[in-house]
Amino acid sequence: MTRVQSVEGHEHPADGDLLVFSFGGREGQVIGPDDVDPEGSPIFAFPMDADSRHIASESRLNEVILVRLEPADLSEESASRSALGIVAYSAVCTHTGCEVSDWEEDTKRLKCPCHDSEFDPSDNGRVVGGPAPLRLAALPLRVADGVLSVAGGFSGPLGAQDP
Amino acid sequence: MNRLTGLLAPSPLVLAAVLTLAPAILVGQTYRPVTDERLVSPEPENWLSYRGDYNGWGYSSLDQIDASNVGDLVPVWTFSTGVGGGHEAPPIVNDGVMYVTTPGNHVLAIDARTGDLLWRYRHELPRDRIAFHDTNRGVALFEDKVYTATLDARVVALDARSGEVVWNTSVADNSAGYYMTLAPLTARGKVMVGVSGGELGIRGFVVALDTETGEEVWRTHTVPGPGEPGNDTWPGESWRTGGAAVWLTGHYDPDLGLTYWGTGNPGPWIGDQRPGDNLYTNSVIALDVDTGELVAHHQYHWNGSWDWDEVSTPLLIDLERGGRSFAGLVHPGRNGYLWILKRKENAIEFVDAQPFVHQNVFTSLDPETGRPTYDEDRKPGTGKPADFCPSLWGGKDWPPAAYNPTTGLLYIPANENLCGTSVGEEVEYRPGRAFTGADTEMTVRPGADHIGELQAWDMNTGEQVWTTEFESQNWGPVLTTGGGLVFMGGTSDRYFRAFDANTGEVLWRQRTNSGVIGVPSTYEIDGVQYVAVQSGWGVDAASMGRRIDGQRGTSTFVPEGGVVWVFALRR
């Protein structure tokens, strides 16, 4: 698989973007590291341009999942993209493009409800079950001024890979 | 532009393919328009629509291939689609030209005798499309055009000779979860389609477009809005996201002027989040072909909570009960019951129903209306898990059953010995996002020695005549012929099989590249009968396989990738 620093033509998320809740009671509010609960379910987020405050929710391919794991459990690659144990991945399954909305608490895996593809958020979004042909693209994070922000583009292709 | 070049699409690929094939050009030149008359009474040598006729029988009277010689059936050509995923579309054939579709909305026109490509249309799909089931179940033909319904909720009309786009109409907003997987239904100058997306909080509908212009003629929602009959079966605003998707091609009774469609689940999946009957989910509805008016319905099960989408369209069969004949609707349901209904000008009436697989949810059926009473302990609720049989994929999912008027038997592709557990969770509606609100598991019944079945039921006595069992699950659409045969794949061992239509005995089988979940068809050219099917495993057949493997501790590998297979008797 070819590694790319950012996906061509994909403007957000981009280095410096903030992340905001994509739905729920706090929809549109900026996410801080303490909002990502190590015991809780993943958070769904859209990137927001730090200057214009524009939330890039035009495409669902811009949406990411935030998960907080034990820093010691992260693979080297995941650790390099993480901030305080928080890792971020594309929220769209690489199989048929469903939202990866299920969380397997026991195994700490992200799961797609459509066809049961499972991904390991501690190991660079690797496919660990189901039909997905490709890992979830990872998004590098940093913490600055008490908020979470994006430290670069997605690590790979987004969404359903053409059959 | 002269007549010859007028047949050619501008693509160099197509140009090259057609130029090398003089016979194909002749076929194109003589393309015979598909009229209402032909669709009502299709010639045996052609397969003009999804199930071969408006009744949905999956039957051809062709009898060159029969029980005595089917052992001599051999492949005459194959064609790799170059596409992965679940290939479910039938090869549809008009006078020697075959049209097939693939996942990702490719349409291929192929010389049905030689296997040469005539043209290929590749629909441009948006990268961020939403379609939980990336498959397509085939084209529809009308006059000189080919129609396909797409994952981004468009209907595209193509010139049958060249593959050039004539019109391209959006019927719904894909970003809100509306998509399409069915073969359209064409009749009386209209191309009719329904929407998928019941798992995404859509409000289902059937829409009819003008075959010439693509302009909308009528649209009927499968969930009634305020002021419409049935809206009071939905609390508050829940009708807006009520589901009742229409996954599969409707059937059509030209005498009554009515089209029949099956509808899917209510959304979200768990009933206590939308108390009421939730019309017209999990129903058959009758729509006037000219106006779209919903003139009758029958709901198989109310307040659905099991993911038993009743998407299959009932077969239109004339039946007898107690010495009286009537125009029937026959539906082997996902809820595991075989439903017999009566179709009338302005009504659908319940006749009888009985389980064809182990079913432990219905405690009784009202003898007048067929309305089931539920074992409440087997009805999942929000925060209340419940076990039930059959599984969420039901006794029979989308693969169509077939009816043979010579044997009088209905052939049901069934899955037995599967059960499941569901538990509901609160879900917030967000356009285009999963709106199931359910966590599901599938289980294999202890001691089960098989799962897949091909069942034959006598339509006049209402009795099961034979059953052929498979260790694997069965996701095989069924074809039956005047040669006394039934054709079906559907199992994870990649076989495509011919069965004796009277006994269920396997008479012939061919191992293919992948698993066969495509709808088979048959046609004749120059006195030779062909049987055609796509092999290409995927979608829910594969999902079920993974869950069975998890239960059995097995690891079943089914290679993917689509291939059109065409068989004929060895010369």
Side-chain angles (χ1 to χ4, degrees):
Chain A
M1 182 182 136
T2 310
R3 293 254 160 259
V4 286
Q5 280 308 302
S6 65
V7 177
E8 197 177 342
H10 203 84
E11 294 180 0
H12 293 282
D15 197 346
D17 281 356
L18 302 176
L19 293 164
V20 302
F21 289 91
S22 60
F23 64 93
R26 296 179 62 191
E27 180 176 337
Q29 292 183 20
V30 173
I31 298 169
D34 293 344
D35 292 322
V36 190
D37 183 349
E39 303 300 321
S41 297
I43 289 177
F44 288 78
F46 276 118
M48 181 174 78
D49 189 283
D51 297 326
S52 70
R53 314 299 278 184
H54 171 75
I55 297 172
S57 58
E58 302 87 6
S59 171
R60 52 196 291 270
L61 295 181
N62 297 346
E63 193 169 21
V64 297
I65 310 171
L66 301 170
V67 186
R68 189 165 196 156
L69 301 165
E70 279 297 323
D73 293 342
L74 297 177
S75 71
E76 198 175 325
E77 207 167 6
S78 284
S80 73
R81 297 198 179 99
S82 69
L84 303 174
I86 301 169
V87 287
Y89 293 95
S90 166
V92 182
C93 184
T94 56
H95 179 223
T96 59
C98 297
E99 189 179 43
V100 183
S101 56
D102 288 356
W103 174 242
E104 300 290 300
E105 178 64 45
D106 299 345
T107 54
K108 305 278 185 198
R109 285 173 176 176
L110 295 161
K111 187 171 175 180
C112 179
C114 288
H115 306 98
D116 298 338
S117 289
E118 288 191 40
F119 305 90
D120 184 351
S122 74
D123 188 13
N124 201 27
R126 184 169 64 91
V127 181
V128 287
L134 202 62
R135 64 184 68 221
L136 294 176
L139 187 72
L141 299 176
R142 73 166 76 88
V143 171
D145 303 327
V147 295
L148 213 48
S149 71
V150 175
F154 277 120
S155 67
L158 303 174
Q161 301 304 298
D162 276 334
Chain B
M1 204 182 246
N2 65 32
R3 183 72 195 268
L4 185 66
T5 54
L7 300 170
L8 304 176
S11 145
L13 171 74
V14 174
L15 193 69
V18 176
L19 281 179
T20 56
L21 291 165
I25 290 172
L26 293 175
V27 169
Q29 276 180 321
T30 58
Y31 187 86
R32 186 157 54 119
V34 177
T35 59
D36 275 305
E37 293 71 27
R38 293 185 63 204
L39 287 167
V40 170
S41 305
E43 316 84 23
E45 67 268 25
N46 286 319
W47 192 272
L48 295 179
S49 60
Y50 178 61
R51 293 301 283 149
D53 67 16
Y54 279 141
N55 294 319
W57 287 2
Y59 169 77
S60 167
S61 63
L62 292 181
D63 60 2
Q64 183 178 82
I65 303 165
D66 63 24
S68 74
N69 62 21
V70 69
D72 291 329
L73 207 58
V74 291
V76 291
W77 59 263
T78 60
F79 188 104
S80 178
T81 67
V83 179
H87 285 61
E88 300 183 349
I92 287 174
V93 178
N94 180 25
D95 290 353
V97 183
M98 174 188 292
Y99 301 97
V100 290
T101 63
T102 72
N105 294 130
H106 299 208
V107 182
L108 299 131
I110 302 173
D111 184 315
R113 187 174 57 84
T114 64
D116 289 311
L117 181 71
L118 304 180
W119 53 257
R120 181 176 195 129
Y121 169 74
R122 185 171 183 158
H123 188 67
E124 194 173 329
L125 287 166
R127 288 293 309 166
D128 57 353
R129 66 179 177 274
I130 302 170
F132 285 11
H133 298 83
D134 180 1
T135 189
N136 188 274
R137 301 192 178 89
V139 300
L141 306 178
F142 200 76
E143 294 295 345
D144 57 355
K145 295 183 192 63
V146 177
Y147 302 90
T148 190
T150 69
L151 293 177
D152 58 342
R154 291 178 163 274
V155 180
V156 181
L158 305 170
D159 183 302
R161 296 175 180 85
S162 67
E164 287 181 62
V165 176
V166 181
W167 52 257
N168 176 341
T169 298
S170 172
V171 300
D173 179 6
N174 177 245
S175 71
Y178 292 82
Y179 65 104
M180 293 195 289
T181 55
L182 81 180
L185 171 68
T186 50
R188 295 174 63 87
K190 284 171 277 292
V191 52
M192 291 160 270
V193 294
V195 282
S196 299
E199 67 283 46
L200 288 154
I202 65 147
R203 179 183 175 214
F205 62 82
V206 178
V207 63
L209 309 178
D210 183 288
T211 50
E212 282 301 308
T213 65
E215 282 171 25
E216 186 167 324
V217 181
W218 53 254
R219 178 181 298 236
T220 301
H221 281 97
T222 51
V223 177
E228 294 178 315
N231 180 258
D232 58 356
T233 65
W234 294 89
E237 299 293 300
S238 60
W239 58 274
R240 292 183 185 277
T241 52
V246 177
W247 294 86
L248 294 170
T249 311
H251 298 152
Y252 173 48
D253 182 335
D255 295 331
L256 295 178
L258 296 178
T259 61
Y260 294 88
W261 306 82
T263 64
N265 278 333
W269 281 359
I270 303 300
D272 61 15
Q273 297 184 23
R274 38 165 174 74
D277 280 6
N278 312 130
L279 293 175
Y280 299 94
T281 63
N282 293 321
S283 301
V284 50
I285 55 173
L287 304 183
D288 184 296
V289 68
D290 290 323
T291 66
E293 183 192 356
L294 194 154
V295 300
H297 78 280
H298 173 84
Q299 187 175 50
Y300 302 107
H301 57 272
W302 49 278
N303 194 239
S305 300
W306 303 269
D307 191 23
W308 291 337
D309 282 288
E310 295 299 348
V311 291
S312 293
T313 312
L315 287 74
L316 278 48
I317 305 175
D318 289 337
L319 298 169
E320 275 184 27
R321 282 289 187 281
R324 288 191 189 168
S325 61
F326 62 92
L329 292 170
V330 175
H331 175 64
R334 190 151 153 180
N335 62 26
Y337 273 60
L338 172 56
W339 299 84
I340 307 292
L341 310 169
K342 195 178 287 188
R343 67 181 197 276
K344 294 183 167 178
E345 196 174 343
N346 50 17
I348 297 171
E349 293 174 359
F350 173 73
V351 177
D352 61 46
Q354 57 183 313
F356 63 92
V357 293
H358 177 63
Q359 211 267 25
N360 63 10
V361 173
F362 297 176
T363 54
S364 64
L365 299 182
D366 182 288
E368 292 299 314
T369 65
R371 181 185 174 86
T373 302
Y374 302 145
D375 178 344
E376 289 296 327
D377 290 340
R378 302 206 176 277
K379 187 169 186 243
T382 304
K384 177 202 146 195
D387 303 328
F388 54 87
C389 311
S391 80
L392 70 156
W393 281 292
K396 184 191 92 58
D397 201 274
W398 78 271
Y403 173 69
N404 190 319
T406 309
T407 61
L409 300 179
L410 175 78
Y411 304 99
I412 305 174
N415 283 305
E416 177 60 292
N417 291 322
L418 296 177
C419 301
T421 304
S422 282
V423 59
E425 53 204 13
E426 291 291 344
V427 57
E428 178 192 349
Y429 173 73
R430 292 179 294 144
R433 310 305 175 91
F435 191 60
T436 60
D439 196 12
T440 64
E441 279 181 41
M442 195 200 74
T443 55
V444 179
R445 291 180 79 198
D449 62 351
H450 74 282
I451 292 171
E453 294 183 347
L454 176 62
Q455 303 182 2
W457 288 72
D458 187 311
M459 281 294 90
N460 286 323
T461 65
E463 287 174 0
Q464 193 166 356
V465 179
W466 54 257
T467 300
T468 299
E469 299 174 352
F470 309 96
E471 185 183 0
S472 146
Q473 72 272 35
N474 177 18
W475 284 74
V478 185
L479 164 72
T480 183
T481 69
L485 296 171
V486 174
F487 291 90
M488 187 187 77
T491 49
S492 61
D493 57 15
R494 309 186 341 245
Y495 280 108
F496 183 56
R497 297 175 173 86
F499 305 82
D500 187 312
N502 291 300
T503 67
E505 184 190 351
V506 177
L507 300 175
W508 168 88
R509 61 181 193 172
Q510 167 74 46
R511 207 158 206 208
T512 71
N513 56 298
S514 183
V516 178
I517 55 173
V519 178
S521 67
T522 185
Y523 57 94
E524 186 180 85
I525 303 171
D526 296 336
V528 177
Q529 183 187 357
Y530 299 88
V531 173
V533 72
Q534 293 201 86
S535 177
W537 195 247
V539 212
D540 286 50
S543 298
M544 181 189 272
R546 282 186 290 275
R547 294 201 184 190
I548 292 171
D549 274 346
Q551 289 277 306
R552 286 178 169 166
T554 51
S555 178
T556 306
F557 177 72
V558 186
E560 289 202 16
V563 172
V564 183
W565 288 76
V566 174
F567 304 95
L569 294 176
R570 192 192 314 270
R571 301 256 196 152

